[in-house]
Amino acid sequence: MSIHHLHFNSIHSTQVYLRDNLTELQTHSENVLITTNEQSLGVGRKGNKWDSYPNSLAMSFTLKPNNIPTMTPIEIGILSSQFFSHKFKKLIFLKWPNDLLTGEGEKCGGIIAQYINQSTVIVGVGLNFKTAHSINYPTHYKHGLGSIDFEKELTYKELLDVSINLYQYILENRIQSASDLQETFKDKCFHIGKEVIIDDDDKDYHGKFLGIGTNGEAIVEIEGIKKSFISSSLKILH
């Protein structure tokens, strides 16, 4: 499966670069991967800034949408978790809708999926790996900011290989069945069966997280009643 890959030492945003140059880049291959050693204006969910740190993975790539387009970020989260488990024996858990967590529940990465058209989604993946240097992580993350420990600091070449291999794994292992995605998400979800707060349209809902529906929506039990949330933020209660 051919991939057109561009790597930058530094860039403002892999997501923005890929979006702005998509037509020209896809003349080489429909599968385009953009990676960088450093990005200054990484894009997170709902336009938020994604903070990038040394020894971190920053990549954006093209992908055909899932058969259920709203399931695309869920699918990428599952495949990313599977990749690091199979390839490196590292546990990465999922937090609805698009966060990657360590085994301790700290955010170590995130996923953004930007729908372009019926044949293309631009996916961004950011993931922090443990570094030998002390880093002053910001304190505004709900559950703290963590990292995946590789027992050493990865070289730029090793980080690049991880990015390419992850993209290849995603392309070759798509999960199109809604029921398969629901079951696998349940296995990978850090907060399944836990008490959560859902922020939906500036209103908080407190309940037990039960899983996801067939469109990737969160299913939460609130006072004995199941309620669905399709585009909200979630806080895990400990």
Side-chain angles (χ1 to χ4, degrees):
M1 194 173 294
S2 67
I3 294 174
H4 180 55
H5 176 214
L6 289 180
H7 179 74
F8 297 88
N9 284 327
S10 180
I11 196 173
H12 55 299
S13 165
T14 58
Q15 188 85 2
V16 172
Y17 180 88
L18 180 50
R19 182 196 65 199
D20 290 350
N21 297 278
L22 181 62
T23 301
E24 192 279 327
L25 291 169
Q26 284 196 314
T27 61
H28 303 277
S29 170
E30 66 175 356
N31 304 312
V32 181
L33 171 65
I34 307 297
T35 56
T36 184
N37 296 337
E38 178 185 58
Q39 61 178 353
S40 56
L41 293 172
V43 178
R45 185 169 174 258
K46 294 186 176 180
N48 293 324
K49 182 177 181 291
W50 169 255
D51 297 307
S52 184
Y53 299 97
N55 208 40
S56 65
L57 180 151
M59 59 189 287
S60 292
F61 52 86
T62 56
L63 200 68
K64 291 181 179 178
N66 189 275
N67 288 340
I68 306 166
T70 51
M71 276 286 203
T72 305
I74 298 288
E75 181 195 6
I76 302 310
I78 290 170
L79 291 172
S80 297
S81 176
Q82 289 178 343
F83 170 78
F84 282 98
S85 175
H86 296 163
K87 183 80 173 176
F88 301 107
K89 309 300 182 192
K90 301 298 178 184
L91 287 178
I92 294 179
F93 291 93
L94 307 180
K95 172 177 168 284
W96 186 88
N98 68 334
D99 284 345
L100 305 174
L101 306 184
T102 67
E104 293 73 38
E106 295 178 322
K107 180 172 179 176
C108 60
I111 295 162
I112 181 172
Q114 184 179 2
Y115 184 87
I116 302 299
N117 53 47
Q118 290 183 338
S119 62
T120 304
V121 170
I122 293 178
V123 178
V125 177
L127 190 62
N128 294 326
F129 301 125
K130 192 170 184 179
T131 175
H133 305 290
S134 177
I135 297 175
N136 293 320
Y137 290 124
T139 59
H140 60 268
Y141 291 97
K142 294 183 178 71
H143 305 287
L145 193 63
S147 56
I148 303 302
D149 190 356
F150 270 81
E151 288 82 45
K152 68 168 187 173
E153 189 160 339
L154 301 181
T155 66
Y156 285 137
K157 173 64 166 59
E158 288 171 328
L159 284 169
L160 195 58
D161 287 344
V162 171
S163 300
I164 295 169
N165 290 334
L166 172 58
Y167 185 34
Q168 193 76 49
Y169 182 89
I170 290 170
L171 288 172
E172 294 174 354
N173 294 276
R174 300 299 303 272
I175 307 171
Q176 299 291 357
S177 162
S179 59
D180 287 347
L181 287 166
Q182 287 173 289
E183 286 304 310
T184 312
F185 180 84
K186 188 176 291 187
D187 292 337
K188 298 287 186 180
C189 179
F190 184 83
H191 51 86
I192 196 77
K194 294 184 179 180
E195 295 295 312
V196 300
I197 292 177
I198 295 280
D199 180 355
D200 186 64
D201 288 334
D202 295 324
K203 183 176 180 180
D204 287 346
Y205 297 86
H206 181 175
K208 180 187 291 186
F209 189 88
L210 301 180
I212 58 172
T214 55
N215 291 301
E217 70 275 23
I219 308 296
V220 180
E221 184 181 273
I222 302 171
E223 297 180 350
I225 299 173
K226 292 181 182 179
K227 187 172 177 64
S228 300
F229 300 90
I230 189 65
S231 180
S232 312
S233 60
L234 178 147
K235 179 180 179 181
I236 306 169
L237 297 177
H238 294 283

